Amino acid sequence: MKRVLGCSLVAVAGLLVVAGLAAGPLISELWEHRRVCSKNYDSVEAALASFDVLDAAPTGAAPTGERDRGCTDTDDHHATISRSYRLPGQHGSPKDVESFYQDLALRNDWTLLPTEGSADEPRCMVKEVEGAEVSLNLWFDPESEDTFEVSASTWPC
């Protein structure tokens, strides 16, 4: 009986060691993702430190909730902080919203990059912070013309 119990304990210990070795790379990758994402969030927050463009909105626009944070790309670890807004009624078009954020960003040390595609595409705004480039992006909900999201991210333009 003691021999069976001893063999069982050795087998269980062996399985735990093998499982730990198999899980090691995954745990290491998750730890690295968390570390790099944290560093990238610091860059985004530094870009917003002098003037938080995510808290600014065109006249009549109201936030639809709290800020969102995301860092889901496990290869590149790009961090994004965003906020969504709703424009009541006909208080502005996407072009008006783009113009508002472009003017605001330019007044607060962001740089407007040249357009590579069509002239109708929103132009990308970037700010160099702590050796990282942070971009300011707008996204308009195709299902609802009065809803948009503004985000600051380490995703390249």
Side-chain angles (χ1 to χ4, degrees):
M1 182 69 164
K2 287 184 180 183
R3 185 177 172 117
V4 171
L5 183 59
C7 288
S8 296
L9 288 176
V10 168
V12 168
L15 285 172
L16 289 174
V17 167
V18 169
L21 291 173
L26 177 62
I27 292 170
S28 176
E29 185 176 323
L30 290 173
W31 184 263
E32 176 71 4
H33 178 68
R34 175 175 249 173
R35 185 187 66 76
V36 174
C37 285
S38 178
K39 179 179 152 264
N40 287 342
Y41 278 129
D42 290 347
S43 295
V44 173
E45 289 170 354
L48 299 172
S50 64
F51 180 80
D52 194 340
V53 70
L54 301 183
D55 283 339
T59 303
T64 60
E66 298 298 316
R67 290 175 179 232
D68 288 322
R69 291 170 61 105
C71 189
T72 57
D73 183 5
T74 56
D75 292 332
D76 297 319
H77 316 286
H78 294 294
T80 300
I81 301 174
S82 62
R83 190 145 201 203
S84 295
Y85 290 90
R86 179 176 307 279
L87 290 166
Q90 296 297 326
H91 272 68
S93 69
K95 286 289 183 201
D96 294 336
V97 173
E98 288 171 17
S99 178
F100 171 84
Y101 283 104
Q102 282 181 6
D103 292 346
L104 188 61
L106 289 173
R107 286 194 311 267
N108 289 282
D109 302 322
W110 291 74
T111 303
L112 191 59
L113 295 181
T115 305
E116 291 183 17
S118 90
D120 292 335
E121 290 181 24
R123 296 178 71 189
C124 185
M125 296 159 279
V126 296
K127 190 172 194 177
E128 188 78 26
V129 180
E130 300 173 359
E133 187 175 83
V134 176
S135 62
L136 184 65
N137 300 293
L138 293 171
W139 176 80
F140 297 92
D141 186 345
E143 301 294 319
S144 171
E145 292 182 12
D146 64 346
T147 303
F148 69 92
E149 178 182 278
V150 59
S151 64
S153 175
T154 57
W155 278 100
C157 291

